Amino acid sequence: MVPSRARRIEEVRTISFEFEGLAVQAQEGDSVAAALTAAGIVDLRDSPVSGAPRGIYCMMGACFDCLVEIDGQPNRQACMCEVREGLVVRRQQGRAELEL
Amino acid sequence: MSARSVDLLVIGAGPAGIAAATEAAGLGLSVSVMDEQSRPGGQIYRGIETASPKRLAVLGKDYAAGRSLTESFRSSAAEYLPDTLVWNIGSDRSVDFSRGGRAQQMNPSAILVATGALERPMPIPGWTLPGVTTAGALQILLKSSGIVRDNCVLAGAGPLLWLVATQMIAAGARPAAIVENLPRGRIVAGLRHLPGALRAREYLFKGLAMIARVKAAGVPVYANATGLAIEGSTQAEAITFSSGGRQHRIETDAIALHQGVVPNQQITRLVGAEHRWDAAQACFHPVLDARFRTSADSIYVAGDGAAINGARPAALQGRLAALLIAEDQGRRVGTERIRRLQAGIARDKSVRPMLETIYAPAPEILAPADSTLICRCEEVTAGEIRSVVDLGAPGPNQIKSMLRAGMGPCQGRVCGLAVAQIIADRKGETPEETGYYRIRPPIKPITLAELAAYAPDEDAPRAASGDAAA
């Protein structure tokens, strides 16, 4: 198989954030989901039912498949959150715990 | 704190919404526009304000045309509330929304729903694997961030599939293949509507030019494909299908699916507006009168959320709806302007019967195999839905209670039409008889912190949200 490398057709201002402890380069205006896609990261969470891996699907806030934990807050739609310098993003595993 | 009143609240900042808001503000109405995105344009003009000249060139002139719409909207007197989620509308039209982490309320005299379209669910084996997206998602990556995926396989059918292919080629990321699941005979059937479609022939020329460009670029096109399935364990590894009498397997970790777009019903369902099943398009439409009014008092719909017609007529409909809403609110509006907008919409719509005949969803997509997942959130298969129907479940809401289909975070946005169709087919009735999920507030998940900060007007009559019967 020829891998489907994701890449950018132009460069703008670069910012950096963290995904699962790894530094990820993003560009201003990217959603978290877009930046992860450009970095070649497709596995964003485990389904809460079977534990199967999931990634981006609709990129427009409808499908909720790209749920991740952002700065400690679970259940964030990666496609609806704009990247900011220093964000800490983690894969979401199963159902989010409710902290009271 | 008292909730604000406005003459018109527009929900959605795509072409219909921003054209309507610009027009209504120009007529002197107080207008607010709420939208979940950070910038105006909707999905069709996503990223239009920030796109570089290179990105504009890749995406083409129909995309670039969106810029004049957003510019007029920005310079209008309409209030723009981006990053705003509408999560409830009461029977008194009180609108609950979240913005900046805080839930608030607004009381508009009229609401224009301009929430556009969603991609039709295309449930095939393996469609939940990472690496599989909608074709729209691929286009959003390009529009909003200038990101392309090389060697992508585009699978399904519809004008958007060809458009995305040409845009990927222009961006230097030629797709590995197009797997078109259009059933045989569709083009011939569509030609019956050619004379009418010639009124808006530029759409036909654009379509033919797109297909020619994809073929000229050397992209393999597999026609009349059936039995589409995606293989992979932790991510997509290959797509398999039959075409031309042979079984094919293309190795790829990037697959974009498309089977047309359908109206986004979440808000029109939430307000209890009447909907009708469109058998030809296999989707529901909110029932509207000639003035864009739903059956819910002073709630209007314009654009693809009413019926799929595309971006240009959506903007015309938005303008026309704004004029009619202003008239309904006692403003005087020029009849010549109304007539011209109506003529423009009718002209653009003339291409639809042909496109709808050719690109109606493939029968195998409407009748997935028993083992295929339908509800992605709760992982419910077609077979599970059918067996619960056999046990006597009458419709989608019982399937939801028994199997949790449609109860996950997407609240049926992705699976709803597929679930309704599977139930209807099993019972031998139309989805109109079967019905649809009851859409309840909040229509998207909100945090307890947002609710805790909620302080609607104490004196205002409360929303029907408490009316959670059945």
Side-chain angles (χ1 to χ4, degrees):
Chain A
M1 163 173 37
V2 187
S4 69
R5 190 172 59 97
R7 61 186 170 81
R8 295 178 187 273
I9 62 169
E10 63 204 353
E11 297 292 325
V12 291
R13 202 177 85 88
T14 302
I15 49 183
S16 128
F17 71 105
E18 197 179 286
F19 180 74
E20 289 290 301
L22 293 169
V24 177
Q25 298 300 305
Q27 289 187 6
E28 204 165 51
D30 280 354
S31 64
V32 169
L36 292 173
T37 301
I41 297 164
V42 297
D43 174 1
L44 302 187
R45 68 162 181 139
D46 294 334
S47 129
V49 181
S50 66
R54 292 288 175 90
I56 61 164
Y57 180 67
C58 79
M59 284 299 286
M60 54 186 271
C63 78
F64 289 77
D65 253 324
C66 63
L67 294 178
V68 292
E69 184 186 302
I70 298 181
D71 284 348
Q73 191 179 16
N75 280 333
R76 301 294 305 276
Q77 292 180 279
C79 72
M80 299 294 283
C81 297
E82 202 163 303
V83 154
R84 288 192 318 278
E85 183 73 39
L87 279 187
V88 177
V89 183
R90 299 186 65 83
R91 286 182 84 250
Q92 184 156 310
Q93 292 169 357
R95 274 185 213 285
E97 295 291 323
L98 181 64
E99 286 180 37
L100 294 172
Chain B
M1 170 192 153
S2 86
R4 274 197 307 132
S5 301
V6 290
D7 294 329
L8 174 64
L9 170 67
V10 176
I11 306 174
I18 59 178
T22 306
E23 196 74 37
L27 290 165
L29 269 61
S30 58
V31 184
S32 289
V33 179
M34 295 185 187
D35 189 75
E36 286 183 61
Q37 298 290 331
S38 305
R39 292 172 198 89
Q43 300 307 328
I44 192 85
Y45 301 129
R46 184 85 181 259
I48 189 72
E49 290 187 330
T50 52
S52 64
K54 177 170 184 181
R55 221 185 283 171
L56 289 173
V58 160
L59 289 164
K61 68 173 171 40
D62 286 347
Y63 173 75
R67 201 164 257 186
S68 68
L69 273 182
T70 56
E71 281 169 1
S72 310
F73 170 61
R74 288 282 195 184
S75 58
S76 78
E79 177 191 42
Y80 174 45
L81 301 172
D83 301 307
T84 300
L85 171 68
V86 172
W87 50 266
N88 187 30
I89 298 174
S91 56
D92 58 354
R93 281 188 312 284
S94 59
V95 173
D96 297 314
F97 63 99
S98 287
R99 177 168 161 75
R102 210 166 60 86
Q104 303 167 59
Q105 195 175 69
M106 183 180 275
N107 290 311
S109 303
I111 298 172
L112 178 68
V113 181
T115 48
L118 293 171
E119 281 193 64
R120 174 189 300 285
M122 189 171 160
I124 60 174
W127 72 311
T128 53
L129 285 165
V132 183
T133 67
T134 63
L138 214 56
Q139 203 191 30
I140 289 167
L141 283 167
L142 181 54
K143 286 175 179 171
S144 61
S145 289
I147 294 169
V148 292
R149 296 195 75 179
D150 287 315
N151 300 307
C152 192
V153 173
L154 303 176
L160 182 68
L161 203 70
W162 294 104
L163 176 61
V164 171
T166 59
Q167 291 171 334
M168 299 286 282
I169 291 165
R174 197 180 67 159
I178 290 190
V179 178
E180 193 179 36
N181 73 342
L182 207 59
R184 277 180 200 288
R186 284 289 183 82
I187 305 284
V188 172
L191 286 176
R192 187 160 53 90
H193 299 288
L194 181 61
L198 286 173
R199 281 186 67 204
R201 64 193 70 184
E202 69 276 17
Y203 285 106
L204 304 181
F205 292 142
K206 184 184 177 185
L208 292 171
M210 288 193 303
I211 294 169
R213 214 171 310 147
V214 171
K215 291 185 172 166
V219 179
V221 177
Y222 298 88
N224 311 125
T226 55
L228 275 63
I230 296 161
E231 295 176 359
S233 51
T234 59
Q235 71 176 76
E237 291 166 19
I239 182 166
T240 59
F241 55 92
S242 301
S243 169
R246 286 177 46 211
Q247 183 69 14
H248 299 266
R249 182 175 187 278
I250 303 174
E251 293 196 350
T252 175
D253 56 3
I255 297 162
L257 303 176
H258 183 66
Q259 199 69 185
V261 296
V262 292
N264 177 358
Q265 310 173 66
Q266 298 301 114
I267 288 191
T268 48
R269 291 275 179 190
L270 172 71
V271 299
E274 191 188 337
H275 288 70
R276 200 159 289 153
W277 178 253
D278 176 338
Q281 284 305 288
C283 68
F284 285 101
H285 293 153
V287 177
L288 303 183
D289 68 10
R291 301 178 69 84
F292 300 91
R293 292 186 290 213
T294 67
S295 62
D297 184 29
S298 297
I299 299 184
Y300 303 70
V301 187
D304 278 0
I308 304 304
N309 286 298
R312 194 168 72 184
L316 296 177
Q317 282 180 13
R319 287 187 204 292
L320 178 56
L323 295 175
L324 298 172
I325 290 167
E327 224 175 41
D328 287 348
Q329 295 191 2
R331 303 286 209 284
R332 289 178 72 91
V333 173
T335 50
E336 174 59 18
R337 188 88 205 291
I338 290 176
R339 202 198 52 75
R340 287 223 318 271
L341 286 166
Q342 284 168 334
I345 295 164
R347 183 183 171 283
D348 273 343
K349 276 187 176 179
S350 59
V351 75
R352 296 305 305 175
M354 183 170 169
L355 289 181
E356 290 177 0
T357 304
I358 295 174
Y359 291 115
E364 74 173 31
I365 296 304
L366 300 179
D370 276 347
S371 59
T372 303
L373 281 184
I374 304 302
C375 167
R376 298 170 62 96
C377 295
E378 296 290 338
E379 300 189 11
V380 179
T381 65
E384 287 171 311
I385 294 169
R386 290 179 184 123
S387 56
V388 171
V389 172
D390 293 345
L391 290 173
N397 294 301
Q398 292 74 28
I399 296 291
K400 186 172 169 181
S401 316
M402 295 175 78
L403 294 173
R404 296 189 58 85
M407 206 183 271
C410 100
Q411 302 184 11
R413 282 175 178 78
V414 178
C415 71
L417 283 179
V419 169
Q421 182 95 52
I422 289 168
I423 299 169
D425 287 351
R426 193 68 167 186
K427 292 176 69 184
E429 62 187 24
T430 68
E432 172 116 19
E433 297 166 293
T434 306
Y436 194 74
Y437 290 134
R438 188 171 297 109
I439 302 300
R440 293 218 183 92
I443 61 165
K444 274 195 178 180
I446 52 172
T447 65
L448 290 173
E450 282 168 278
L451 271 182
Y454 183 51
D457 185 357
E458 300 295 336
D459 302 329
R462 270 314 290 140
S465 54
D467 169 20

